[in-house]
Amino acid sequence: MKKKENLLTLLIVLGLALGAIVGQFLLYDSSLSEEALRSAARPWQTAGEVIFIRPLMMMIVPLVFISVAVGVASIGNPQKLGVVGGATVLFYLGTMAMAVALGLTLVSLIKPGVGVDESTLLSSGVSAFESGGISERIAGGPSDVGGSFIGLIYSMVPNNFLQAAVEGNTLPVVVGGIVIGLALVLGGEKCKITIQVLEGAFEALIKLVMWIIWLAPLGIFFIVAGRVGQVGLANLVGPLGWYVLTVVVGLLIHATVLLPIVLRLLGKTNPYQFMWNVRKVIITAFSTASSTATLPVTLEECQASGGCSKRATNFVIPLGATINMDGTALYQAVAVVFLFQMLDFDLTLGQMIIILVTATLAAVGAAGIPSAGLITMAIVINAVNASLSAVGGEGARTLPMYTVGIILGVDRVLDMCRTAVNVWGDCIGAKVISRLAPDDEEEREKALA
Ligand code: ASP
């Protein structure tokens, strides 16, 4: 078993490295336009999708629904579920706020936007903003925290559950799983058989996930080649180099220092051993840039290799993939301050606090799919702009939304990095909450007493 596991890890790392090499040296061509690069990379991305991402995505709806229902049913008592659910949400919000605070500190110290000549960046940024479809996506999304929350709550209670599931909205599926799980517990003796059927279905789904994970090396090879082929690694060190560095250093500190401290204190676990145990999850998140696509792998690996309890994982991981995004929160804070710095704005402490709150909440609202964080970043920019207008009155200078186009080019790679941190944060949540909801009956009674 161990040998097989090591072979798979080796193959995945090989797929990742070869993908980066092929993307950089065979696909990327600096003389081509963005559009041409995008179409050259398309067949590679399609191959990656068909081989790995689609099989994973296909699992999401049944897996989320059944795992949450089984998790909730196994926690049992609604009051105890309230304690576990409350602790999970608090944990997630707390670690996200920590990530934003770290991002704000770093971007204020490193000042990646100060002294950058924005004139050339702006013209290419504007065209990237208009042509990449980002402007429409931002215009179609919520513009403030209130709107984002109303949207979130609205989507939790769909008119038609099946339609929401078909459209791939995970939040209503999580809510549906919680409600059914509770009803099954309260239904008593007669519902026991349904719980057992769901438990059996869950085991079968996890078996399928284990098969799909063997497709990871090949899938990851194609996906990474396509991504690197569109961006070109050299662009990461151009005028945006300091910005990229600030985001990457922030993500690294959060993932390897802050979150491990939290895990050590609250989860009483050796964090680096745990990180090694869930390595496939982190690599899959990095390669796919989607917490949602990674979800089946996260569920399977946290239980099979990470030693997390089934009770906690089944409930905490689907919720985490939907709302917990430490990496996205940190990235949004750094990106927004970077853009303001570049256009010579002096942000006040109050405006920094606005960023702290809105970046945390905007990350909650971001979907677990590629580039989602880039879209919800508009909420943070709008909030700071509203404060600038309130202070400066009508006609006050604000940050134009098209400046987002400037950071679009390097976003594909940063998206991979932040998604890895998002999912690592979910795994830590599952490990910490495993103490509150262990599988062992006696321990569970003790923890929740
Ligand atoms: N791609 C990220 C995720 O799936 C979200 C983001 O764009 O920040 O977790």
Side-chain angles (χ1 to χ4, degrees):
M1 187 69 187
K2 197 135 186 83
K3 260 196 185 154
K4 260 186 166 177
E5 285 289 297
N6 288 342
L7 173 69
L8 183 56
T9 307
L10 184 74
L11 289 175
I12 290 178
V13 173
L14 259 174
L16 191 72
L18 283 178
I21 293 171
V22 168
Q24 175 66 28
F25 296 107
L26 282 182
L27 282 176
Y28 184 70
D29 179 348
S30 56
S31 63
L32 292 180
S33 70
E34 270 224 18
E35 189 52 50
L37 285 172
R38 230 181 290 154
S39 53
R42 205 160 288 140
W44 295 74
Q45 292 206 305
T46 309
E49 288 215 358
V50 173
I51 292 171
F52 189 48
I53 298 197
R54 280 176 171 246
L56 283 175
M57 292 304 281
M58 208 165 59
M59 309 284 299
I60 303 295
V61 171
L63 194 58
V64 167
F65 181 71
I66 294 176
S67 93
V68 173
V70 167
V72 167
S74 70
I75 292 173
N77 180 329
Q79 239 172 352
K80 288 177 181 172
L81 179 70
V83 174
V84 173
T88 308
V89 172
L90 269 184
F91 178 87
Y92 283 158
L93 287 178
T95 47
M96 276 195 276
M98 238 167 66
V100 179
L102 171 65
L104 287 177
T105 310
L106 285 176
V107 74
S108 309
L109 288 176
I110 301 177
K111 299 191 172 56
V114 174
V116 175
D117 175 16
E118 79 274 10
S119 50
T120 45
L121 286 177
L122 265 181
S123 58
S124 60
V126 172
S127 63
F129 183 72
E130 297 302 337
S131 68
I134 294 292
S135 57
E136 292 95 42
R137 282 174 72 189
I138 288 183
S143 60
D144 58 20
V145 173
S148 163
F149 261 81
I150 292 172
L152 214 61
I153 297 199
Y154 201 70
S155 79
M156 277 185 194
V157 197
N159 258 337
N160 180 335
F161 176 78
L162 289 181
Q163 187 186 359
V166 167
E167 282 167 2
N169 289 332
T170 8
L171 200 55
V173 182
V174 171
V175 175
I178 295 177
V179 178
I180 292 286
L182 260 180
L184 287 173
V185 171
L186 298 178
E189 211 41 51
K190 276 197 176 159
C191 293
K192 276 213 167 121
I193 183 139
T194 314
I195 296 180
Q196 280 170 355
V197 169
L198 288 178
E199 280 170 352
F202 179 72
E203 291 306 321
L205 287 174
I206 286 293
K207 192 107 218 128
L208 284 175
V209 175
M210 284 162 78
W211 294 340
I212 297 173
I213 292 178
W214 278 94
L215 300 172
L218 196 61
I220 285 174
F221 165 75
F222 282 111
I223 299 163
V224 172
R227 276 199 166 228
V228 173
Q230 282 181 65
V231 185
L233 294 177
N235 284 333
L236 298 179
V237 291
L240 297 176
W242 283 106
Y243 158 67
V244 172
L245 190 78
T246 312
V247 175
V248 171
V249 167
L251 292 174
L252 276 177
I253 296 179
H254 189 68
T256 61
V257 182
L258 296 188
L259 284 178
I261 293 177
V262 171
L263 180 58
R264 172 74 81 188
L265 291 179
L266 300 181
K268 305 274 181 246
T269 301
N270 177 341
Y272 302 107
Q273 180 63 49
F274 180 62
M275 189 185 253
W276 174 249
N277 292 345
V278 296
R279 60 194 178 277
K280 282 196 233 86
V281 180
I282 298 173
I283 301 177
T284 305
F286 179 78
S287 323
T288 58
S290 167
S291 313
T292 305
T294 312
L295 201 157
V297 185
T298 323
L299 262 177
E300 195 272 333
E301 285 294 301
C302 277
Q303 294 178 13
S305 315
C308 302
S309 78
K310 278 195 175 168
R311 278 200 174 98
T313 317
N314 282 354
F315 169 69
V316 171
I317 291 293
L319 194 66
T322 326
I323 66 167
N324 182 43
M325 306 223 170
D326 293 12
T328 301
L330 184 148
Y331 148 84
Q332 286 180 333
V334 174
V336 168
V337 176
F338 165 76
L339 293 175
F340 276 101
Q341 278 176 353
M342 202 175 61
L343 293 193
D344 296 325
F345 282 86
D346 265 330
L347 297 182
T348 61
L349 182 66
Q351 281 149 355
M352 287 294 198
I353 294 174
I354 291 178
I355 296 180
L356 180 84
V357 177
T358 49
T360 306
L361 299 179
V364 171
I369 52 172
S371 322
L374 195 70
I375 310 300
T376 53
M377 201 170 80
I379 295 174
V380 187
I381 295 179
N382 281 336
V384 182
N385 277 346
S387 147
L388 287 169
S389 305
V391 176
E394 213 164 297
R397 199 162 76 97
T398 54
L399 186 80
M401 197 54 80
Y402 59 74
T403 49
V404 170
I406 294 174
I407 52 174
L408 215 61
V410 291
D411 195 65
R412 292 196 180 89
V413 174
L414 291 183
D415 197 2
M416 298 162 82
C417 303
R418 66 182 184 252
T419 308
V421 178
N422 288 346
V423 175
W424 170 228
D426 298 344
C427 296
I428 293 195
K431 192 71 183 172
V432 168
I433 303 296
S434 289
R435 288 191 66 210
L436 260 188
D439 283 335
D440 180 83
E441 203 59 45
E442 250 175 61
E443 272 183 51
R444 183 165 71 109
E445 292 305 323
K446 248 193 282 162
L448 292 170

